[in-house]
Structures are given as structure tokens and as C-alpha cells.
Amino acid sequence: MPATDIRPRPDIVALLCDADFKRRPDTDTYSHRDGRPFSKEEQALAFTATRVEVEEVSAQLARYREYRRTWKEAPEAFQSFLAPFMAQLTQKNLGNAVQLMNEDERTEFERLLGLMIQPLRPFTPNTF
């Protein structure tokens, strides 16, 4: 018998990603990160979460934490990346440094530059 392909339900993952799992004594439910209590329907839906869905939430949050760490470290990583190129130049500017780069180096340059110029994206379920 072939293995069943069990996929996390995006709506459950989104709900769990937005959950603060401290039970509210006033409503006896979980709450959203913004403090709103779960509705009865949301609470019931959260209780239907499978192991695969909980693991997906954990993986998404881990990827987001890694993205935030990378974004925060981007300015220093950019300087470290550029240093060897700048050391080769008499006229030190980005245009001249980019001319020294091969395709893979330009890709890394663009990735680091993109991290520096884009604002930090907020966590959004089913994105990271």
C-alpha cells in the first residue's frame, strides 16, 4: 500500500502561527498574538492540529528566525564580502568592485545588498 501524502492544512498552520498558547483565564481559550482571544471555532480548529501541522509551524518559525538573523547581520556581512574586492582597487567604489566579481559573487552581492535595503519583513504564515 503506498504511503499517504499528508500535507499540513494552510489554515491550521496560519492559526497556530498567530497563537499565543497561554490559556486566557477569562475565556479559557488561547489567544492571538495581538491579544484577541480565540473564538470557539478557532479554539476547536486549533485542537484538530496534527503533528505534521505543528511541525510545519515550528519549521516556519525557525526559518523566520534565521531570516531575521541574516537580515540583522547583513551590513557586516556585506562589508566583509566587499573587503577583498575593494583592496584590489585604486578607485574604491561599488561599480568598480562589481566589475571584479564573477557571476556567483555578483549573486551574493545582490543578495546581501537586497537584505540591507529592504525593511525587515514581518512574519507571515505559509511564507517562510
Side-chain angles (χ1 to χ4, degrees), residues 86-101:
M86 292 299 198
Q88 298 175 46
L89 298 171
T90 52
Q91 280 196 336
K92 298 181 187 311
N93 64 51
L94 284 180
N96 291 342
V98 170
Q99 289 179 359
L100 297 174
M101 297 176 191

Side-chain angles (χ1 to χ4, degrees), residues 33-114:
R33 289 180 186 241
D34 65 7
R36 292 176 294 121
F38 273 19
S39 67
K40 289 179 182 179
E41 294 80 16
E42 289 171 324
Q43 186 74 22
L45 197 56
F47 285 140
T48 70
T50 65
R51 182 179 184 162
V52 171
E53 289 156 348
V54 172
E55 289 170 352
E56 178 61 21
V57 169
S58 179
Q60 286 189 32
L61 292 170
R63 287 190 299 269
Y64 183 69
R65 284 190 298 273
E66 176 62 17
Y67 158 74
R68 269 192 351 220
R69 184 193 61 76
T70 303
W71 179 85
K72 185 177 181 181
E73 295 173 355
E76 187 175 316
F78 187 72
Q79 291 298 325
S80 296
F81 174 80
L82 274 179
F85 298 103
M86 292 299 198
Q88 298 175 46
L89 298 171
T90 52
Q91 280 196 336
K92 298 181 187 311
N93 64 51
L94 284 180
N96 291 342
V98 170
Q99 289 179 359
L100 297 174
M101 297 176 191
N102 64 34
E103 186 176 336
D104 290 339
E105 292 164 335
R106 275 192 295 280
T107 300
E108 179 64 2
F109 170 82
E110 290 171 5
R111 183 186 77 81
L112 290 169
L113 184 61

Side-chain angles (χ1 to χ4, degrees), residues 19-32 35-40 42-44 46-47:
D20 177 358
F21 290 104
K22 295 178 188 156
R23 267 207 184 291
R24 293 178 55 116
D26 59 333
T27 61
D28 198 32
T29 63
Y30 298 140
S31 61
H32 294 273
R36 292 176 294 121
F38 273 19
S39 67
K40 289 179 182 179
E42 289 171 324
Q43 186 74 22
F47 285 140

